[in-house]
Protein backbone atom coordinates (compact mmCIF):
# COMPACT_ATOMS: atom_id res chain seq x y z
CA UNK A 1 0.00 0.00 0.00
CA UNK A 2 1.14 3.50 -0.71
CA UNK A 3 2.41 4.63 2.69
CA UNK A 4 1.19 8.17 2.17
CA UNK A 5 -2.27 7.08 1.20
CA UNK A 6 -2.34 4.87 4.26
CA UNK A 7 -1.44 7.68 6.66
CA UNK A 8 -3.79 10.19 5.14
CA UNK A 9 -6.83 7.96 5.31
CA UNK A 10 -9.52 9.46 7.48
CA UNK A 11 -9.46 7.68 10.81
CA UNK A 12 -13.14 6.96 10.59
CA UNK A 13 -14.90 6.69 7.29
CA UNK A 14 -18.13 6.91 9.26
CA UNK A 15 -17.39 10.45 10.43
CA UNK A 16 -19.55 12.76 8.37
CA UNK A 17 -18.72 16.32 7.34
CA UNK A 18 -19.22 18.49 10.40
CA UNK A 19 -19.01 22.14 11.36
CA UNK A 20 -15.42 23.33 11.50
CA UNK A 21 -15.46 23.24 15.29
CA UNK A 22 -16.69 20.39 17.39
CA UNK A 23 -17.26 21.52 20.96
CA UNK A 24 -19.27 18.58 22.14
CA UNK A 25 -16.73 15.84 22.33
CA UNK A 26 -19.02 13.46 24.12
CA UNK A 27 -21.77 13.76 21.54
CA UNK A 28 -21.67 11.69 18.38
CA UNK A 29 -21.66 13.69 15.14
CA UNK A 30 -25.26 14.59 14.37
CA UNK A 31 -25.68 12.52 11.25
CA UNK A 32 -24.27 9.39 12.86
CA UNK A 33 -27.39 7.63 14.01
CA UNK A 34 -27.40 6.08 17.45
CA UNK A 35 -27.88 2.66 15.97
CA UNK A 36 -28.90 -0.16 18.24
CA UNK A 37 -26.16 -2.72 18.70
CA UNK A 38 -25.98 -5.08 15.77
CA UNK A 39 -27.63 -8.42 16.26
CA UNK A 40 -24.95 -10.64 17.58
CA UNK A 41 -23.67 -13.39 15.42
CA UNK A 42 -21.21 -16.02 16.41
CA UNK A 43 -18.32 -13.95 14.97
CA UNK A 44 -19.42 -10.41 15.98
CA UNK A 45 -17.54 -8.95 18.94
CA UNK A 46 -19.54 -7.68 21.88
CA UNK A 47 -19.77 -3.87 21.86
CA UNK A 48 -20.60 -1.59 24.74
CA UNK A 49 -23.18 1.19 24.35
CA UNK A 50 -20.54 3.89 24.85
CA UNK A 51 -19.99 6.23 21.92
CA UNK A 52 -16.49 6.74 20.69
CA UNK A 53 -15.14 10.24 21.39
CA UNK A 54 -15.80 11.96 18.07
CA UNK A 55 -12.69 14.11 18.48
CA UNK A 56 -10.41 11.11 18.74
CA UNK A 57 -12.07 9.76 15.62
CA UNK A 58 -10.80 12.86 13.80
CA UNK A 59 -7.16 11.90 14.39
CA UNK A 60 -5.26 10.48 11.47
CA UNK A 61 -4.27 6.83 11.31
CA UNK A 62 -1.59 6.88 13.97
CA UNK A 63 0.53 9.13 16.08
CA UNK A 64 3.67 9.66 14.00
CA UNK A 65 6.20 7.77 16.09
CA UNK A 66 4.18 4.60 16.69
CA UNK A 67 3.58 4.59 12.93
CA UNK A 68 7.33 4.74 12.30
CA UNK A 69 7.87 1.96 14.84
CA UNK A 70 5.29 -0.13 12.97
CA UNK A 71 7.10 0.36 9.67
CA UNK A 72 10.44 -0.43 11.29
CA UNK A 73 9.00 -3.69 12.64
CA UNK A 74 7.58 -4.55 9.23
CA UNK A 75 10.99 -3.90 7.65
CA UNK A 76 12.65 -6.19 10.18
CA UNK A 77 10.16 -8.94 9.39
CA UNK A 78 11.06 -8.61 5.73
CA UNK A 79 14.82 -8.36 6.41
CA UNK A 80 15.41 -10.28 9.65
CA UNK A 81 19.20 -9.92 9.38
CA UNK A 82 19.20 -6.18 8.75
CA UNK A 83 21.14 -4.17 11.32
CA UNK A 84 18.68 -1.34 11.55
CA UNK A 85 19.99 1.97 12.87
CA UNK A 86 17.30 4.13 14.39
CA UNK A 87 17.71 7.86 13.87
CA UNK A 88 13.98 8.36 13.86
CA UNK A 89 11.96 8.90 17.02
CA UNK A 90 14.63 10.95 18.79
CA UNK A 91 15.11 8.76 21.83
CA UNK A 92 18.33 9.19 23.77
CA UNK A 93 20.90 6.39 23.77
CA UNK A 94 23.75 7.34 26.09
CA UNK A 95 23.92 6.24 29.74
CA UNK A 96 22.73 8.60 32.43
CA UNK A 97 25.79 10.14 34.18
CA UNK A 98 26.54 8.44 37.47
CA UNK A 99 26.34 11.60 39.52
CA UNK A 100 22.65 11.61 38.58
CA UNK A 101 21.90 7.91 39.03
CA UNK A 102 23.75 8.01 42.37
CA UNK A 103 21.32 10.67 43.56
CA UNK A 104 18.41 8.45 42.53
CA UNK A 105 19.96 5.35 44.13
CA UNK A 106 20.54 7.18 47.37
CA UNK A 107 16.92 8.29 47.48
CA UNK A 108 15.75 4.78 46.58
CA UNK A 109 17.68 3.29 49.48
CA UNK A 110 16.42 5.98 51.83
CA UNK A 111 12.86 4.91 51.01
CA UNK A 112 13.64 1.64 52.79
CA UNK A 113 14.29 3.45 56.04
CA UNK A 114 11.80 4.83 58.51
CA UNK A 115 13.34 8.30 58.43
CA UNK A 116 13.87 8.38 54.67
CA UNK A 117 10.49 7.07 53.61
CA UNK A 118 8.08 9.46 51.93
CA UNK A 119 4.77 8.86 50.20
CA UNK A 120 2.79 11.31 48.13
CA UNK A 121 4.69 14.51 47.62
CA UNK A 122 3.47 17.96 46.67
CA UNK A 123 1.66 17.82 43.32
CA UNK A 124 3.72 20.80 42.15
CA UNK A 125 7.02 19.11 42.97
CA UNK A 126 9.58 19.26 45.75
CA UNK A 127 10.39 22.77 46.92
CA UNK A 128 14.14 22.17 46.58
CA UNK A 129 13.78 21.04 42.98
CA UNK A 130 11.47 23.91 42.08
CA UNK A 131 14.01 26.30 43.57
CA UNK A 132 16.86 24.65 41.68
CA UNK A 133 14.99 24.81 38.35
CA UNK A 134 14.09 28.46 38.91
CA UNK A 135 17.67 29.36 39.86
CA UNK A 136 19.41 27.31 37.15
CA UNK A 137 17.29 28.10 34.11
CA UNK A 138 15.54 31.33 35.02
CA UNK A 139 17.90 32.96 37.52
CA UNK A 140 17.98 36.34 35.82
CA UNK A 141 14.43 36.42 34.53
CA UNK A 142 12.35 36.98 37.66
CA UNK A 143 10.84 33.48 37.68
CA UNK A 144 10.28 32.18 41.20
CA UNK A 145 10.08 28.74 42.74
CA UNK A 146 6.29 29.03 43.03
CA UNK A 147 5.98 29.61 39.26
CA UNK A 148 7.48 26.16 38.57
CA UNK A 149 5.34 23.01 38.29
CA UNK A 150 7.49 19.87 38.25
CA UNK A 151 6.07 17.10 36.10
CA UNK A 152 6.59 13.71 34.51
CA UNK A 153 7.67 15.33 31.25
CA UNK A 154 6.94 18.09 28.78
CA UNK A 155 4.65 15.96 26.63
CA UNK A 156 2.38 15.22 29.58
CA UNK A 157 2.34 18.93 30.43
CA UNK A 158 1.31 19.84 26.88
CA UNK A 159 -1.83 17.73 27.33
CA UNK A 160 -2.45 19.16 30.81
CA UNK A 161 -2.18 22.65 29.37
CA UNK A 162 -4.76 21.72 26.73
CA UNK A 163 -7.10 20.57 29.50
CA UNK A 164 -6.47 23.93 31.17
CA UNK A 165 -7.47 25.84 28.03
CA UNK A 166 -10.46 23.64 27.23
CA UNK A 167 -12.17 23.04 23.93
CA UNK A 168 -13.20 26.60 23.19
CA UNK A 169 -9.84 28.02 22.07
CA UNK A 170 -8.07 28.23 18.75
CA UNK A 171 -4.38 27.38 18.57
CA UNK A 172 -1.54 28.29 16.22
CA UNK A 173 1.42 26.01 15.62
CA UNK A 174 4.64 26.26 13.69
CA UNK A 175 4.39 24.20 10.53
CA UNK A 176 6.18 21.80 10.79
CA UNK A 177 5.92 21.13 14.53
CA UNK A 178 6.14 18.45 17.21
CA UNK A 179 2.88 16.49 16.71
CA UNK A 180 1.70 16.58 20.33
CA UNK A 181 0.41 20.17 20.04
CA UNK A 182 -1.91 19.45 17.11
CA UNK A 183 -3.03 16.01 18.26
CA UNK A 184 -3.86 17.18 21.79
CA UNK A 185 -5.80 20.08 20.27
CA UNK A 186 -7.81 17.64 18.15
CA UNK A 187 -8.50 15.39 21.13
CA UNK A 188 -9.69 18.39 23.17
CA UNK A 189 -12.21 19.25 20.47
CA UNK A 190 -10.59 22.55 19.54
CA UNK A 191 -10.45 21.69 15.84
CA UNK A 192 -12.51 20.75 12.86
CA UNK A 193 -11.97 17.67 10.76
CA UNK A 194 -8.73 16.79 8.99
CA UNK A 195 -8.80 18.27 5.51
CA UNK A 196 -7.11 15.89 3.12
CA UNK A 197 -6.56 18.45 0.38
CA UNK A 198 -4.46 20.77 2.53
CA UNK A 199 -3.38 18.16 5.10
CA UNK A 200 -4.49 20.39 7.96
CA UNK A 201 -7.14 20.27 10.64
CA UNK A 202 -9.85 22.91 10.52
CA UNK A 203 -9.56 25.71 13.08
CA UNK A 204 -5.81 25.40 13.64
CA UNK A 205 -3.54 28.14 12.36
CA UNK A 206 -0.47 26.61 10.73
CA UNK A 207 2.42 29.10 10.73
CA UNK A 208 4.68 28.05 7.89
CA UNK A 209 8.38 27.82 8.83
CA UNK A 210 10.65 27.15 5.88
CA UNK A 211 14.15 27.97 4.66
CA UNK A 212 12.61 30.93 2.79
CA UNK A 213 11.55 32.69 6.01
CA UNK A 214 14.48 31.47 8.11
CA UNK A 215 12.09 29.06 9.88
CA UNK A 216 10.35 31.96 11.61
CA UNK A 217 6.74 32.65 10.60
CA UNK A 218 5.68 35.81 8.88
CA UNK A 219 3.63 37.10 11.80
CA UNK A 220 2.09 39.88 9.71
CA UNK A 221 0.08 37.21 7.89
CA UNK A 222 -0.89 35.15 10.98
CA UNK A 223 -4.44 35.77 12.23
CA UNK A 224 -5.16 36.14 15.94
CA UNK A 225 -5.45 32.90 17.90
CA UNK A 226 -5.90 32.27 21.62
CA UNK A 227 -2.88 30.04 22.07
CA UNK A 228 0.41 29.97 20.15
CA UNK A 229 2.53 26.84 20.53
CA UNK A 230 6.11 27.77 19.77
CA UNK A 231 9.06 25.41 20.05
CA UNK A 232 12.63 26.71 20.03
CA UNK A 233 15.04 25.11 19.30
CA UNK A 234 12.48 23.54 17.08
CA UNK A 235 11.64 19.92 16.68
CA UNK A 236 11.84 18.98 13.81
CA UNK A 237 13.61 21.81 11.93
CA UNK A 238 16.31 22.37 14.54
CA UNK A 239 15.92 26.14 14.14
CA UNK A 240 16.35 28.36 17.21
CA UNK A 241 14.59 31.72 17.17
CA UNK A 242 16.77 34.79 17.69
CA UNK A 243 16.24 37.40 20.38
CA UNK A 244 14.79 39.76 17.81
CA UNK A 245 12.37 37.11 16.53
CA UNK A 246 11.20 36.21 20.03
CA UNK A 247 10.75 39.89 20.81
CA UNK A 248 8.46 40.07 17.76
CA UNK A 249 6.60 36.98 18.96
CA UNK A 250 6.00 38.39 22.44
CA UNK A 251 4.79 41.68 20.96
CA UNK A 252 2.52 39.78 18.56
CA UNK A 253 1.02 37.82 21.48
CA UNK A 254 0.54 40.95 23.52
CA UNK A 255 -1.07 42.86 20.64
CA UNK A 256 -3.48 39.95 20.09
CA UNK A 257 -4.12 39.03 23.72
CA UNK A 258 -2.78 35.51 23.08
CA UNK A 259 -0.91 33.09 25.33
CA UNK A 260 2.35 31.57 24.05
CA UNK A 261 3.15 28.00 25.12
CA UNK A 262 6.89 27.97 24.64
CA UNK A 263 8.51 24.54 24.42
CA UNK A 264 12.18 24.78 25.36
CA UNK A 265 12.88 21.03 25.62
CA UNK A 266 16.14 21.49 23.67
CA UNK A 267 17.36 24.79 25.15
CA UNK A 268 20.64 23.32 26.40
CA UNK A 269 21.56 22.49 22.79
CA UNK A 270 21.80 26.19 21.92
CA UNK A 271 25.36 27.09 20.92
CA UNK A 272 24.85 30.65 19.71
CA UNK A 273 23.33 33.63 21.51
CA UNK A 274 19.70 32.67 20.82
CA UNK A 275 17.62 32.95 24.01
CA UNK A 276 17.32 29.74 26.02
CA UNK A 277 14.02 30.83 27.52
CA UNK A 278 11.12 32.99 26.38
CA UNK A 279 11.44 34.75 29.75
CA UNK A 280 14.64 36.38 28.51
CA UNK A 281 12.32 38.63 26.52
CA UNK A 282 10.97 41.63 28.45
CA UNK A 283 7.21 41.37 28.98
CA UNK A 284 7.06 37.62 28.30
CA UNK A 285 5.84 36.81 31.81
CA UNK A 286 2.50 38.46 30.95
CA UNK A 287 1.95 36.36 27.83
CA UNK A 288 3.87 33.09 28.09
CA UNK A 289 4.05 29.68 29.67
CA UNK A 290 7.22 27.63 29.19
CA UNK A 291 7.67 23.89 29.35
CA UNK A 292 11.03 22.15 29.77
CA UNK A 293 12.38 18.65 30.17
CA UNK A 294 15.32 16.64 31.44
CA UNK A 295 14.69 14.02 28.73
CA UNK A 296 17.23 15.17 26.19
CA UNK A 297 19.83 16.57 28.59
CA UNK A 298 20.22 13.71 31.04
CA UNK A 299 18.79 10.73 29.16
CA UNK A 300 15.58 10.95 31.21
CA UNK A 301 13.26 9.84 28.38
CA UNK A 302 12.49 6.75 30.47
CA UNK A 303 13.02 8.22 33.94
CA UNK A 304 10.47 11.00 33.18
CA UNK A 305 10.96 14.49 34.59
CA UNK A 306 10.05 17.88 33.24
CA UNK A 307 8.53 21.15 34.35
CA UNK A 308 6.23 23.94 33.31
CA UNK A 309 6.60 27.59 34.24
CA UNK A 310 3.37 29.51 34.66
CA UNK A 311 4.26 33.02 35.83
CA UNK A 312 1.92 34.61 38.35
CA UNK A 313 1.78 37.67 36.05
CA UNK A 314 -0.09 35.66 33.38
CA UNK A 315 -3.82 36.36 33.60
CA UNK A 316 -6.95 35.24 31.78
CA UNK A 317 -9.22 37.88 30.25
CA UNK A 318 -11.22 38.09 33.50
CA UNK A 319 -8.07 38.77 35.50
CA UNK A 320 -7.88 35.27 37.00
CA UNK A 321 -4.29 33.99 37.30
CA UNK A 322 -3.60 31.18 34.82
CA UNK A 323 -1.29 29.54 37.39
CA UNK A 324 -4.19 29.06 39.82
CA UNK A 325 -6.18 27.10 37.26
CA UNK A 326 -3.13 25.14 36.17
CA UNK A 327 -2.53 24.25 39.80
CA UNK A 328 -6.12 22.95 39.95
CA UNK A 329 -5.54 20.79 36.85
CA UNK A 330 -2.28 19.44 38.25
CA UNK A 331 -3.85 18.64 41.62
CA UNK A 332 -6.79 16.93 39.94
CA UNK A 333 -4.99 14.83 37.34
CA UNK A 334 -1.48 14.32 38.67
CA UNK A 335 -0.06 13.24 42.00
CA UNK A 336 3.40 14.65 41.53
CA UNK A 337 6.50 13.42 39.72
CA UNK A 338 8.18 10.28 41.00
CA UNK A 339 10.25 10.81 44.14
CA UNK A 340 13.16 9.05 42.43
CA UNK A 341 12.95 11.19 39.29
CA UNK A 342 12.93 14.30 41.41
CA UNK A 343 16.03 13.12 43.28
CA UNK A 344 17.59 12.60 39.84
CA UNK A 345 16.53 16.13 38.89
CA UNK A 346 18.35 17.51 41.92
CA UNK A 347 21.37 15.47 40.86
CA UNK A 348 21.12 17.00 37.37
CA UNK A 349 21.15 20.51 38.78
CA UNK A 350 24.10 20.04 41.14
CA UNK A 351 27.33 21.60 39.78
CA UNK A 352 28.66 18.13 38.81
CA UNK A 353 25.28 17.17 37.31
CA UNK A 354 25.16 20.30 35.17
CA UNK A 355 28.65 19.59 33.87
CA UNK A 356 27.65 15.97 33.15
CA UNK A 357 24.53 17.08 31.24
CA UNK A 358 26.63 19.51 29.22
CA UNK A 359 28.93 16.61 28.31
CA UNK A 360 25.95 14.49 27.20
CA UNK A 361 24.62 17.35 25.08
CA UNK A 362 28.14 17.91 23.68
CA UNK A 363 28.37 14.25 22.66
CA UNK A 364 25.11 14.41 20.70
CA UNK A 365 26.20 17.67 19.12
CA UNK A 366 29.31 15.92 17.78
CA UNK A 367 26.96 13.32 16.27
CA UNK A 368 25.01 16.16 14.69
CA UNK A 369 28.23 17.42 13.05
CA UNK A 370 28.88 13.98 11.54
CA UNK A 371 25.38 13.84 10.06
CA UNK A 372 25.60 17.40 8.73
CA UNK A 373 29.00 16.69 7.11
CA UNK A 374 27.59 13.53 5.53
CA UNK A 375 24.67 15.23 3.85
CA UNK A 376 26.50 18.41 2.86
CA UNK A 377 29.29 16.35 1.28
CA UNK A 378 26.56 14.64 -0.78
CA UNK A 379 25.29 18.02 -1.97
CA UNK A 380 22.11 18.22 0.12
CA UNK A 381 20.87 21.38 1.75
CA UNK A 382 20.68 20.76 5.48
CA UNK A 383 19.13 22.97 8.15
CA UNK A 384 18.94 23.06 11.93
CA UNK A 385 21.66 21.07 13.70
CA UNK A 386 23.59 24.03 15.14
CA UNK A 387 21.32 24.52 18.15
CA UNK A 388 19.48 21.20 18.24
CA UNK A 389 20.03 17.44 18.00
CA UNK A 390 18.12 17.33 14.70
CA UNK A 391 19.27 17.67 11.12
CA UNK A 392 16.56 18.77 8.70
CA UNK A 393 17.51 17.52 5.24
CA UNK A 394 15.88 18.83 2.10
CA UNK A 395 14.90 16.46 -0.72
CA UNK A 396 13.33 19.00 -3.08
CA UNK A 397 10.31 17.78 -5.02
CA UNK A 398 10.22 14.43 -3.27
CA UNK A 399 7.61 12.95 -1.00
CA UNK A 400 8.91 12.62 2.58
CA UNK A 401 7.45 9.16 3.14
CA UNK A 402 9.05 7.96 -0.12
CA UNK A 403 12.45 9.20 1.07
CA UNK A 404 11.83 7.61 4.49
CA UNK A 405 11.02 4.30 2.73
CA UNK A 406 14.04 4.57 0.44
CA UNK A 407 16.47 5.15 3.31
CA UNK A 408 14.91 2.35 5.36
CA UNK A 409 14.80 -0.09 2.46
CA UNK A 410 18.27 0.59 1.07
CA UNK A 411 20.31 1.73 4.08
CA UNK A 412 18.35 0.12 6.94
CA UNK A 413 18.31 3.49 8.66
CA UNK A 414 15.14 4.79 10.29
CA UNK A 415 14.52 8.52 9.87
CA UNK A 416 11.39 10.63 10.32
CA UNK A 417 9.44 11.89 7.30
CA UNK A 418 9.07 15.64 7.47
CA UNK A 419 5.43 15.60 6.42
CA UNK A 420 4.61 13.75 9.65
CA UNK A 421 5.18 17.10 11.39
CA UNK A 422 2.75 19.01 9.20
CA UNK A 423 2.35 19.92 5.54
CA UNK A 424 5.28 22.34 5.80
CA UNK A 425 7.57 19.36 6.37
CA UNK A 426 6.87 17.80 2.99
CA UNK A 427 10.07 17.28 1.02
CA UNK A 428 12.18 17.05 4.19
CA UNK A 429 13.44 14.25 6.38
CA UNK A 430 14.48 14.68 10.01
CA UNK A 431 17.60 12.84 11.13
CA UNK A 432 18.07 12.54 14.86
CA UNK A 433 21.57 12.77 16.33
CA UNK A 434 20.68 10.53 19.28
CA UNK A 435 22.75 7.41 18.77
CA UNK A 436 25.89 5.58 19.79
CA UNK A 437 28.88 7.02 17.95
CA UNK A 438 29.59 3.80 16.04
CA UNK A 439 25.97 3.72 14.80
CA UNK A 440 26.12 7.32 13.65
CA UNK A 441 29.35 6.60 11.76
CA UNK A 442 27.88 3.45 10.22
CA UNK A 443 24.67 5.28 9.25
CA UNK A 444 26.78 8.01 7.65
CA UNK A 445 28.68 5.37 5.66
CA UNK A 446 25.47 3.75 4.42
CA UNK A 447 23.90 7.09 3.51
CA UNK A 448 27.01 8.05 1.54
CA UNK A 449 26.76 4.74 -0.29
CA UNK A 450 23.07 5.33 -1.03
CA UNK A 451 23.30 8.91 -2.28
CA UNK A 452 26.81 9.03 -3.77
C1 LIG B 1 9.61 19.59 21.31
C2 LIG B 1 9.41 18.50 22.29
N1 LIG B 1 8.68 18.74 23.38
C3 LIG B 1 8.45 17.80 24.28
C4 LIG B 1 8.96 16.53 24.13
C5 LIG B 1 8.64 15.48 25.14
O1 LIG B 1 9.44 15.62 26.24
P1 LIG B 1 9.25 14.67 27.52
O2 LIG B 1 10.10 13.47 27.29
O3 LIG B 1 9.72 15.53 28.64
O4 LIG B 1 7.81 14.34 27.63
C6 LIG B 1 9.73 16.22 23.02
C7 LIG B 1 10.25 14.88 22.84
O5 LIG B 1 10.75 14.48 21.83
C8 LIG B 1 9.95 17.24 22.08
O6 LIG B 1 10.64 17.01 20.96
Amino acid sequence: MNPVACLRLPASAATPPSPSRCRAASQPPRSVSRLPPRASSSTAAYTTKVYRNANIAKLQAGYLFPEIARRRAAHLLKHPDAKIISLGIGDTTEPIPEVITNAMAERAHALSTVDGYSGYGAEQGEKKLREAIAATYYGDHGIEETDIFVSDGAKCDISRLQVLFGSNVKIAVQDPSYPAYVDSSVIMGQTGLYQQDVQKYGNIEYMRCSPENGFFPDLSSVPQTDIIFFCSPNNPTGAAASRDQLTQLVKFAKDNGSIIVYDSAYAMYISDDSPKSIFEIPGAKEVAIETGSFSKYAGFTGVRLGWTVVPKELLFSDGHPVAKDFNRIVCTSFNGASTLSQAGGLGCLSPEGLKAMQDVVGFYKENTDIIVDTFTSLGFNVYGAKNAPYVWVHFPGRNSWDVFAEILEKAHVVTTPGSGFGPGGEGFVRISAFGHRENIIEAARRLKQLYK
Side-chain angles (χ1 to χ4, degrees):
M1 186 194 291
N2 174 348
V4 182
C6 167
L7 246 202
R8 289 178 189 164
L9 267 179
S12 165
T15 308
S18 77
S20 65
R21 299 183 83 164
C22 176
R23 294 182 184 183
S26 58
Q27 297 300 312
R30 228 174 315 172
S31 55
V32 174
S33 59
R34 304 194 92 181
L35 291 172
R38 272 170 289 150
S40 62
S41 73
S42 56
T43 53
Y46 168 79
T47 60
T48 67
K49 292 178 182 165
V50 180
Y51 291 105
R52 185 176 180 209
N53 180 337
N55 293 314
I56 295 190
K58 291 178 198 166
L59 289 170
Q60 295 306 286
Y63 186 75
L64 176 64
F65 297 115
E67 178 62 23
I68 289 170
R70 196 187 63 73
R71 288 168 192 239
R72 179 191 197 278
H75 181 74
L76 202 55
L77 265 184
K78 211 166 120 195
H79 305 278
D81 297 330
K83 299 246 175 317
I84 297 181
I85 298 175
S86 206
L87 306 180
I89 175 166
D91 195 2
T92 46
T93 55
E94 300 312 293
I96 298 173
E98 270 187 27
V99 56
I100 299 166
T101 49
N102 283 345
M104 289 193 271
E106 212 174 289
R107 182 76 71 93
H109 291 305
L111 288 176
S112 287
T113 67
V114 172
D115 287 344
Y117 176 74
S118 63
Y120 289 127
E123 290 91 340
Q124 304 80 2
E126 293 173 12
K127 188 174 188 315
K128 265 191 170 172
L129 180 58
R130 298 172 84 190
E131 280 170 354
I133 291 171
T136 306
Y137 295 114
Y138 307 102
D140 299 330
H141 319 318
I143 296 294
E144 295 172 352
E145 168 239 321
T146 48
D147 299 325
I148 310 280
F149 294 82
V150 176
S151 74
D152 51 350
K155 194 192 217 180
C156 317
D157 275 346
I158 289 160
S159 282
R160 285 184 201 111
L161 287 168
Q162 292 284 26
V163 174
L164 167 77
F165 298 130
S167 56
N168 204 14
V169 295
K170 177 170 180 169
I171 70 160
V173 292
Q174 290 153 293
D175 177 22
S177 66
Y178 178 57
Y181 317 134
V182 165
D183 283 7
S184 58
S185 176
V186 175
I187 290 169
M188 280 304 297
Q190 298 167 355
T191 77
L193 292 180
Y194 187 71
Q195 299 157 6
Q196 297 289 339
D197 50 344
V198 287
Q199 297 171 51
K200 296 176 179 178
Y201 288 93
N203 207 47
I204 288 184
E205 197 53 45
Y206 291 75
M207 306 184 293
R208 183 57 70 98
C209 295
S210 62
E212 289 71 39
N213 60 17
F215 296 100
F216 187 77
D218 172 12
L219 295 175
S220 67
S221 67
V222 176
Q224 193 272 350
T225 62
D226 303 297
I227 311 297
I228 303 167
F229 281 94
F230 199 93
C231 177
S232 178
N234 185 268
N235 176 9
T237 67
S242 68
R243 193 168 304 274
D244 178 52
Q245 288 170 334
L246 291 181
T247 304
Q248 286 175 45
L249 184 69
V250 167
K251 180 175 184 314
F252 178 74
K254 208 162 232 174
D255 290 348
N256 285 304
S258 311
I259 294 177
I260 300 166
V261 176
Y262 191 79
D263 186 337
S264 64
Y266 299 97
M268 281 184 77
Y269 285 80
I270 292 178
S271 306
D272 62 18
D273 60 0
S274 304
K276 293 192 168 79
S277 162
I278 190 72
F279 299 119
E280 291 185 32
I281 309 301
K285 289 205 289 277
E286 289 168 4
V287 292
I289 289 169
E290 179 165 314
T291 185
S293 172
F294 289 97
S295 283
K296 309 297 165 87
Y297 307 160
F300 268 28
T301 47
V303 173
R304 309 302 305 146
L305 192 70
W307 69 89
T308 286
V309 186
V310 189
K312 55 186 78 50
E313 292 84 348
L314 183 67
L315 307 176
F316 284 118
S317 58
D318 64 357
H320 190 80
V322 175
K324 277 200 169 175
D325 282 3
F326 190 60
N327 189 53
R328 191 76 170 78
I329 300 293
V330 166
C331 291
T332 301
S333 61
F334 184 55
N335 255 337
S338 149
T339 313
L340 302 182
S341 305
Q342 295 193 73
L346 281 167
C348 288
L349 300 179
S350 67
E352 306 77 30
L354 279 169
K355 164 82 178 63
M357 287 200 294
Q358 265 144 15
D359 290 347
V360 171
V361 167
F363 174 86
Y364 290 129
K365 285 176 77 72
E366 286 170 11
N367 283 351
T368 311
D369 293 342
I370 295 170
I371 298 166
V372 168
D373 288 349
T374 302
F375 280 100
T376 45
S377 73
L378 291 164
F380 287 92
N381 281 329
V382 302
Y383 301 94
K386 185 173 176 199
N387 292 316
Y390 297 120
V391 185
W392 189 236
V393 188
H394 200 189
F395 290 80
R398 293 200 59 193
N399 173 294
S400 299
W401 277 108
D402 288 350
V403 177
F404 166 88
E406 176 176 87
I407 296 177
L408 181 58
E409 191 60 37
K410 299 192 174 145
H412 306 305
V413 173
V414 179
T415 60
T416 308
S419 59
F421 298 98
E426 188 57 280
F428 289 86
V429 162
R430 189 195 77 174
I431 316 280
S432 149
F434 296 116
H436 300 315
R437 183 61 45 82
E438 64 270 24
N439 286 344
I440 299 288
I441 291 170
E442 171 60 14
R445 190 192 65 74
R446 293 185 201 168
L447 288 162
K448 280 187 178 157
Q449 189 72 23
L450 174 59
Y451 290 117
K452 68 178 183 235

